[in-house]
Amino acid sequence: MRVETLVVGGGPAGTAAAIVLARTGREVLLVDKATFPRDKCCGDGLTALALRELEHLGLDPTTIGSWNVVRDVAVRSPSGTERRYSLPNGPGFHAAVVPRIDLDAAMLDLARTAGVRVEQGCTATSAEMTPDSIEVAMNKALADNDQTDDASEYHIQASNLIAADGMWSPVRKSLGLAVDQYLGEWHAFRQYYSNINGRAAEELTVWFEPDLLPGYAWSFPLRDGRANVGFGIRRGGRHTVGGMKRLWLDLLDRPHIQQALGPDAVAEAPHKAWPIPARIGRIPLVGPRTMFVGDAAAVTDPLTGEGIGQALATGRLAAESVLDHDNPTVHYAEAVRREFVADDRMSRALIPLLARPWVTRGVLRLTGATPWTRRNFARWMFEDYPRALFVTPGRWKRRMFTGPGAYRRHLRSAP
């Protein structure tokens, strides 16, 4: 089988790339090892960056019943002081929470509508160059009653390969571009809760616990009295990955977290943990006829562990490189570095500072000083403008601190 562009991976990065390509009439085949809808370990938060990318792709929030817009954010400092930050109350919105099981399925449906051919239950097992293409070996899951020995194995030749196949990308490994023993910069732990009747039913809450810094705990409100509750830690810190379950039980016993969730909160099994890659620019972004996007490109924000917006953006940049340039891989690598490397460096510079409780306390005190600082700190947290905006004048533009939110034309109010 031969296609113009093969996308491996049906998460936000892969579907974004496929949608952009298909809407120009390009031939696109998207494959994923899972069958959708499927759960994906994540905090489920959508930043302004993610929302603007989704709006650009044409995703309609009213088609996702679990879509929940966030207007208010509560942040607890290491000293126990709580501050509230309201996102701008103008047109559109700047943050939302959507379970990935729903978001990713909706994105895949949007890709099909755009003309993308989708094959589920297909695992990419290897990739290698041929004289005029890249050839990917696939293994398709067989039905239980299929007794054909080799019916599941086939090969796809593609002019362009967009690898959105996750942190431990099989494509990257096949091309000899993997980082040995790489386990990610962050590790996160998540559990869904129902019957939330505390403040966490409405507010997005971040707890900067002294023993988690520079990590944090969170509660992200979902619809119908549910919440995504969890925490993230930097790998190599005081807490070990193996001790995350014990740490989770300790966090849940803390009175301020119990109060936020309410006395009737019920944990939904199972809890899940996952690693988060965040080393943009320090692993290859491209290979032969191949562009790595999303977690396969390790583009997560190293300060917060958020990666959906970055995943969507890298998918779009990969597609635009295929459409507009004779050498897509060269252009893509340059575009991603230009878009994200300065912000990555800024985030990394802040991490050792925020690991000190007194610095985190001071930062939150300053950001809570005036309505302007509170509003713009919330926007900065939710990636409404780049992390390194102040030191990258080339990205300055009019109304960069007063612009409306995403979906201002599409929706008058949140679903």
Side-chain angles (χ1 to χ4, degrees):
M1 179 190 304
R2 178 151 190 145
V3 297
E4 181 182 15
T5 300
L6 172 65
V7 179
V8 178
T15 50
I19 290 166
V20 172
L21 286 168
R23 285 188 176 150
T24 66
R26 296 298 186 95
E27 179 193 22
V28 188
L29 171 63
L30 184 151
V31 300
D32 194 285
K33 63 182 179 181
T35 300
F36 289 68
R38 57 94 178 96
D39 188 25
K40 178 71 173 179
C41 285
C42 186
D44 296 334
L46 297 177
T47 62
L49 170 62
L51 291 169
R52 294 186 195 283
E53 292 288 340
L54 291 171
E55 182 181 27
H56 174 76
L57 291 169
L59 181 71
D60 182 353
T62 63
T63 64
I64 305 177
S66 59
W67 185 285
N68 194 35
V69 173
V70 172
R71 301 288 187 184
D72 298 302
V73 181
V75 178
R76 180 184 171 96
S77 81
S79 65
T81 301
E82 281 200 2
R83 289 179 171 82
R84 283 175 170 73
Y85 302 83
S86 293
L87 289 157
N89 193 26
F93 42 91
H94 295 76
V97 183
V98 187
R100 286 287 300 278
I101 191 171
D102 299 330
L103 176 67
D104 290 12
M107 289 284 290
L108 203 65
D109 287 343
L110 187 64
R112 290 191 185 96
T113 301
V116 178
R117 178 183 168 190
V118 176
E119 294 285 348
Q120 302 181 68
C122 298
T123 302
T125 57
S126 66
E128 61 181 29
M129 283 296 298
T130 68
D132 62 347
S133 67
I134 184 161
E135 185 172 295
V136 181
M138 304 297 302
N139 190 297
K140 184 172 178 62
L142 295 173
D144 292 339
N145 59 355
D146 193 333
Q147 303 299 317
T148 306
D149 291 339
D150 57 356
S152 65
E153 297 181 2
Y154 62 101
H155 292 77
I156 301 173
Q157 290 184 322
S159 300
N160 306 291
L161 173 60
I162 297 176
D165 52 345
M167 174 176 155
W168 289 300
S169 165
V171 171
R172 182 182 288 281
K173 184 176 180 180
S174 293
L175 296 175
L177 299 173
V179 179
D180 289 341
Q181 299 181 332
Y182 178 52
L183 298 174
E185 278 68 32
W186 281 83
H187 213 81
F189 194 98
R190 175 215 78 182
Q191 191 158 29
Y192 288 116
Y193 272 75
S194 56
N195 294 336
I196 302 291
N197 52 19
R199 291 184 292 111
E202 300 292 336
E203 289 182 343
L204 186 151
T205 306
V206 175
W207 296 286
F208 286 108
E209 301 293 292
D211 58 328
L212 294 185
L213 295 176
Y216 59 93
W218 71 75
S219 176
F220 291 174
L222 298 165
R223 290 205 162 191
D224 301 322
R226 299 178 69 237
N228 180 317
V229 187
F231 70 96
I233 55 174
R234 292 280 300 179
R235 186 173 290 277
R238 72 179 75 180
H239 296 292
T240 65
V241 172
M244 291 186 77
K245 185 175 180 180
R246 291 190 301 274
L247 176 58
W248 180 231
L249 296 175
D250 175 63
L251 286 169
L252 292 173
D253 281 338
R254 299 181 186 186
H256 55 281
I257 294 181
Q258 289 185 346
Q259 184 182 36
L261 298 179
D264 300 322
V266 177
E268 299 176 5
H271 52 69
K272 293 185 178 181
W274 74 102
I276 300 176
R279 51 169 53 190
I280 182 68
R282 283 168 295 158
I283 61 173
L285 291 166
V286 299
R289 294 183 177 268
T290 302
M291 291 164 279
F292 298 100
V293 298
D295 278 358
V299 292
T300 300
D301 181 355
L303 184 66
T304 65
E306 201 285 326
I308 297 177
Q310 291 85 345
L312 291 163
T314 52
R316 171 179 55 81
L317 290 171
E320 291 172 351
S321 298
V322 170
L323 292 173
D324 300 329
H325 299 276
D326 294 333
N327 195 333
T329 57
V330 171
H331 180 268
Y332 171 73
E334 293 173 349
V336 172
R337 291 190 181 100
R338 184 170 58 248
E339 190 81 12
F340 292 113
V341 167
D343 303 317
D344 177 87
R345 290 173 179 170
M346 173 64 76
S347 290
R348 289 185 182 282
L350 292 173
I351 288 170
L353 297 176
L354 296 179
R356 298 176 171 87
W358 66 271
V359 173
T360 303
R361 288 195 302 269
V363 167
L364 293 176
R365 187 178 298 117
L366 288 172
T367 60
T370 70
W372 188 90
T373 58
R374 288 193 294 271
R375 181 175 62 254
N376 280 284
F377 177 68
R379 290 184 62 195
W380 184 78
M381 279 181 63
F382 287 95
E383 299 178 329
D384 200 20
Y385 44 80
R387 290 274 181 261
L389 180 65
F390 289 103
V391 294
T392 53
R395 294 190 286 184
W396 294 358
K397 58 184 179 181
R398 291 184 60 193
R399 302 187 67 200
M400 61 187 182
F401 296 121
T402 58
Y407 289 104
R408 66 190 186 277
R409 298 185 183 93
H410 187 77
L411 295 171
R412 291 188 177 182
S413 61

